[in-house]
Structure formats: C-alpha cells, structure tokens
Amino acid sequence: FRGPFGGMTDGNFTTSSHKCSERFVDRLYKSYDPRRSVWTTQPGDEAKGVVSGWIDPNGTGCVYLNTKVLKPYDAPAWFMTAAEVKFILAEAALQGYIAGGEAAAKSYYEEAIAASINQWNPKITPADIEKFINGSDSEVRFDGTLERIIEQKWVALFMQGFESWNDYRRTGYPQLVIGPGAAEVNGGILPTRMLYGQTTIATNADNYAAEVAYLRATYPGVGGDNMRTPVWWSKRAVELENANR
C-alpha cells in the first residue's frame, strides 16, 4: 500500500479545492481540538476554512492540510478504527440497541474521542485528553444527544469521508452548510447517492429502467437516477415515505 497523495507536489496538495471546510475548521479550532495541528496547518493569525459548496472555492489564507502527516507515500491509513467502533457503541447504547443507556453512551463516547486523539497524537497526556472532553470550557462534553455523538464521530472520521457521508444521510447529522454549488446543480440538496455507472446502464438496460421507474414512483418529485433520490435507509427516505402515505 502507498498513500494516494505521495506523488503530488505540496502546492497541488494544498490548493483551494483541498483545503478544509469552514465548518470543520471552526469545530477544530474553537474547541481547541488536540488533533488540529496534526491534520492542518494555519497559514496566518486567523484560522478560517473554505466556505462549502462553491464550484470554484477561494481558499486564500485558509487552513490547509498538513503535508508532512497526510501527503507522504507512507502516511498512515485506517479502514476501521477503535474510535469508530466506540462511537457506534455509544449510539447503540443511547438508542437502546444495547444495554447501558445514557451512562454507557457517555462512557463509549469519551472512549471514542480518546481513541481518536491517541490514534493521531499518541504523545498527548491522558490529563490533556480529559481536559478536552470534560474541562470547564469543553465544547465536546457529552450532552446526551445523538447529534453530539455524530458530530464528534464526523471529526474522528477525518480522511474517511464516505463513512461520514453515510452517517449524515442516516441521521441528518452533523448539520452541514448547503452552498451555492449544490443549489446550482442539485436543487439545493446535498448529494444523496451515487449515480449508476455507464457500464451498468449499457449492459443491464432493462433492470436499470425498472429501477429508475421504481425510484421515481417511490420518491415523487426527486426520484430517479440522480443525486437527489435518497437511499432507502436514510433519514430523508423515511421523511418522504411518511409524507407520501
């Protein structure tokens, strides 16, 4: 395995389209997240991110990805982390799928954050992690909500965007900004699914047509082979199905 960005120049790796979003930067820097200096580099006195949803974003002066950590061929990569498992358990406990209720959810949640911080910043002390999670001015202290769990899971899944996208579609969290790019090309809706590939369309035309017809009938007004049709397990799908009953 080789890191996918190793062949890029530092300049290409830190262009506007590769800089962190305003939403993400605000979450990292306003909460004094211990991972912020590992993931990002702040070029000026003010930590700011790129406004989401612009087709041609302006990233001048914005925080950019840390080339020393994330760009090399031997940069670390993970497929399923301890932190992600702990966040899943936290959600399961909060929702009543496993035993323990809110107390267990809180414990799993705190273990998840600690695991993610140690994953990226192993030299940090347990005391500093505890201060970040439960200090008097902590912005990540557990508040008993699914939103707080998914928000921090979103942070911990940095560089694993598909996982975060799945959680967003499934729960509606974190609350993300819908920029003008989405408004222009996708009706103001953040992308909800991947389109069928041309090979599938060409080699399985009858079933493709039947599936598209099903999507249009199930989700009137948005359904079809587009990025507005919700996947069946998403929060939006449930909302549309309930509205159409």
Side-chain angles (χ1 to χ4, degrees):
F1 175 82
R2 298 201 309 169
F5 310 114
M8 299 176 68
T9 65
D10 286 2
N12 286 337
F13 188 70
T14 58
T15 59
S16 293
S17 59
H18 296 152
K19 291 185 177 178
C20 293
S21 71
E22 183 178 58
R23 175 80 163 76
F24 187 66
V25 169
D26 285 350
R27 170 46 56 197
L28 287 185
Y29 282 79
K30 288 182 179 179
S31 66
Y32 297 96
D33 195 299
R35 294 161 290 191
R36 66 190 186 280
S37 61
V38 181
W39 291 339
T40 65
T41 299
Q42 182 179 335
D45 295 332
E46 180 185 4
K48 61 179 182 178
V50 176
V51 178
S52 297
W54 289 89
I55 294 175
D56 186 19
N58 178 12
T60 303
C62 291
V63 166
Y64 57 86
L65 300 177
N66 188 336
T67 57
K68 293 181 180 179
V69 174
L70 303 173
K71 192 179 81 69
Y73 281 121
D74 61 351
W78 295 273
F79 296 97
M80 185 75 174
T81 66
E84 183 176 1
V85 172
K86 294 291 187 178
F87 278 118
I88 291 170
L89 290 171
E91 179 181 349
L94 186 68
Q95 303 281 47
Y97 301 138
I98 62 175
E102 189 170 322
K106 179 179 184 295
S107 179
Y108 285 129
Y109 169 82
E110 293 176 354
E111 291 173 5
I113 295 176
S116 177
I117 294 173
N118 280 313
Q119 172 189 334
W120 289 96
N121 189 2
K123 294 182 181 180
I124 194 169
T125 66
D128 284 338
I129 294 177
E130 175 61 22
K131 181 180 179 181
F132 173 66
I133 298 174
N134 286 313
S136 59
D137 57 349
S138 172
E139 294 191 6
V140 306
R141 185 186 293 108
F142 185 66
D143 63 359
T145 66
L146 177 62
E147 181 174 7
R148 180 58 57 90
I149 292 172
I150 299 300
E151 172 90 7
Q152 279 303 303
K153 186 181 180 186
W154 170 69
V155 173
L157 286 171
F158 177 70
M159 300 296 284
Q160 294 174 285
F162 275 105
E163 292 291 318
S164 297
W165 186 35
N166 288 338
D167 279 333
Y168 173 79
R169 291 181 293 171
R170 182 174 60 84
T171 68
Y173 300 125
Q175 296 183 28
L176 301 174
V177 175
I178 300 176
E184 181 177 333
V185 301
N186 206 48
I189 299 172
L190 291 180
T192 53
R193 61 183 284 275
M194 303 290 284
L195 305 183
Y196 282 105
Q198 289 302 313
T199 300
T200 298
I201 296 172
T203 60
N204 199 8
D206 290 344
N207 284 323
Y208 170 74
E211 178 64 15
V212 172
Y214 170 78
L215 293 174
R216 287 173 177 160
T218 304
Y219 307 110
V222 297
D225 187 14
N226 58 53
M227 293 188 293
R228 299 181 299 278
T229 302
V231 288
W232 66 268
W233 44 262
S234 67
K235 179 181 179 182
R236 182 60 177 155
V238 174
E239 292 172 346
L240 288 174
E241 290 166 10
N242 288 338
N244 292 330
R245 284 175 179 161

